[in-house]
Amino acid sequence: MTHNLIPRVVSKLLIPLIILFSLYVQFHGDFGPGGGFQAGVIFSAAIILYALVFGLDVAEKIIPPYILRLIAALGVVLYAGVGLATQLLGGRYLEYGVLGETQVAGQHLGILLVELGVGLTVASVMLIIFFAFAGRGRP
Amino acid sequence: MIDILINVTLLAFLAITAIAIVRMTHLFAIVMLYGIFSFLTAGLFVVMDAADVAFTEAAVGAGISTVLMLATLALSKDHQEKKSRHRPWLPLSLVVVTGAALVYGTMDIPGFGDPAAPSQVHVAPYYIEQSMPDTGVPNMVTAVLASYRGFDTLGEVVVVFTAGIAVLLLIGGRRAKQTDKTQLEKESDDA
């Protein structure tokens, strides 16, 4: 699709909006519908659209596969690490209340970090799967 | 009233799409219809006020999985579904019997959003009353998902991560050299 003008122009307009929306879904998930899973898949959809229109190689230059593998692991580590941190601070595993001054502040911080971990892992795993599938067709 | 109209329209389109998928043999068209099917399902979720499920369905079902199926189809040479030789009577009767049993089962299911349904009277009242003072998070779904059932969600993230590792192990593999490939792509584009 590298020579098609209209998809290139339209996707250049759309991709920033999709990424912005995914960040909104990620960090506004406490208040509106959404959360890490949704934000992750929407973000990866934006990158997949980019890869479809501009080519797999260009997309892999933006997000190299080894960084994706790191981020996928980082998300799980972040989630599990929040649990360990609450244990070190004297709470039970994933008892966010001990993270902040008050119960509610701790819950806010804990949920934010945990959702971030979910979003990182989901977005990068979706892209890993896409790159693995799409990369098979190359000579 | 408008809800019923939208629901009937969406369900009718779903049924039409499903029948079209069954009758078609061109696999690219079937993959695109799968995407439309997911998109209609996402619309149904929106009507049921499950916006976050609709996000996921639209992004994963209509977007990513369609792209993955297209990528898989691009690798295969034959894009026509093969006509099956066997008679469809046994599978058909099995499906009809199972479907009838499921429809019979729905007779006992409480109505949509029924406050007296067993699933609504167990822990749901506690979440509705306590999630705001406990977590201060207005979105109850997030409070349940990330806080009350945080351990469960950790398991889900590990499942997603494991799926990524499995795909990498199975087909990730080593890539061909970058220079050769861009050369070939240019040639095929010029041709």
Side-chain angles (χ1 to χ4, degrees):
Chain A
M1 267 229 278
T2 43
H3 293 300
N4 292 347
L5 185 64
I6 292 172
R8 286 175 83 100
V9 173
V10 172
S11 61
K12 267 186 188 171
L13 281 174
L14 279 178
I15 288 167
L17 291 177
I18 299 174
I19 292 177
L20 190 67
F21 183 63
S22 80
L23 291 176
Y24 167 79
V25 169
Q26 171 80 53
F27 293 108
H28 205 257
D30 303 4
F31 301 94
F37 280 101
Q38 288 80 11
V41 291
I42 294 172
F43 183 85
S44 61
I47 305 291
I48 287 174
L49 175 62
Y50 186 85
L52 286 180
V53 175
F54 294 91
L56 209 57
D57 298 320
V58 191
E60 282 192 345
K61 271 182 196 144
I62 298 173
I63 304 187
Y66 72 93
I67 288 187
L68 281 180
R69 290 171 209 169
L70 271 181
I71 296 175
L74 185 76
V76 179
V77 169
L78 179 63
Y79 201 135
V82 170
L84 282 182
T86 55
Q87 271 189 321
L88 288 176
L89 288 170
R92 279 171 290 178
Y93 194 74
L94 292 173
E95 189 185 349
Y96 309 131
V98 294
L99 286 173
E101 298 270 304
T102 60
Q103 156 81 10
V104 168
Q107 287 280 348
H108 263 289
L109 183 63
I111 289 176
L112 190 80
L113 288 174
V114 158
E115 291 276 13
L116 185 64
V118 174
L120 289 175
T121 297
V122 170
S124 47
V125 165
M126 286 296 156
L127 286 175
I128 285 172
I129 294 175
F130 168 71
F131 282 139
F133 270 74
R136 284 296 273 192
R138 299 195 288 202
Chain B
M1 183 59 208
I2 189 83
D3 273 15
I4 296 173
L5 195 69
I6 295 173
N7 272 333
V8 168
T9 314
L10 284 175
L11 280 171
F13 273 122
L14 265 186
I16 293 168
T17 316
I19 292 168
I21 289 172
V22 172
R23 295 191 61 84
M24 272 188 180
T25 55
H26 193 264
L27 292 176
F28 272 110
I30 290 175
V31 169
M32 294 322 287
L33 282 175
Y34 276 146
I36 293 170
F37 192 90
S38 290
F39 215 70
L40 291 167
T41 319
L44 276 174
F45 287 140
V46 173
V47 179
M48 290 180 193
D49 291 331
D52 30 10
V53 188
F55 282 165
T56 319
E57 182 65 42
V60 175
I64 295 170
S65 68
T66 307
V67 170
L68 289 184
M69 280 195 273
L70 286 177
T72 313
L73 270 186
L75 294 178
S76 64
K77 291 194 183 83
D78 202 0
H79 298 147
Q80 286 288 328
E81 194 180 335
K82 290 221 164 57
K83 284 272 171 213
S84 60
R85 299 246 176 77
H86 61 87
R87 297 287 182 96
W89 295 116
L90 179 66
L92 183 69
S93 55
L94 204 68
V95 165
V96 166
V97 169
T98 316
L102 287 175
V103 170
Y104 176 72
T106 58
M107 307 282 186
D108 277 347
I109 288 181
F112 177 66
D114 184 3
S119 63
Q120 313 284 10
V121 295
H122 182 47
V123 285
Y126 178 83
Y127 291 148
I128 292 168
E129 284 161 15
Q130 290 297 314
S131 75
M132 202 55 194
D134 273 358
T135 64
V137 170
N139 183 0
M140 211 188 305
V141 178
T142 300
V144 172
L145 196 88
S147 187
Y148 290 113
R149 297 191 187 167
F151 200 63
D152 192 72
T153 309
L154 175 62
E156 285 170 27
V157 176
V158 174
V159 167
V160 172
F161 181 64
T162 315
I165 293 177
V167 169
L168 269 183
L169 283 175
L170 286 173
I171 61 172
R174 281 188 340 148
R175 293 271 158 74
K177 275 186 194 160
Q178 299 275 327
T179 47
D180 298 353
K181 176 181 55 225
T182 42
Q183 207 77 38
L184 273 170
E185 270 180 3
K186 268 180 199 150
E187 279 164 19
S188 65
D189 284 345
D190 290 340

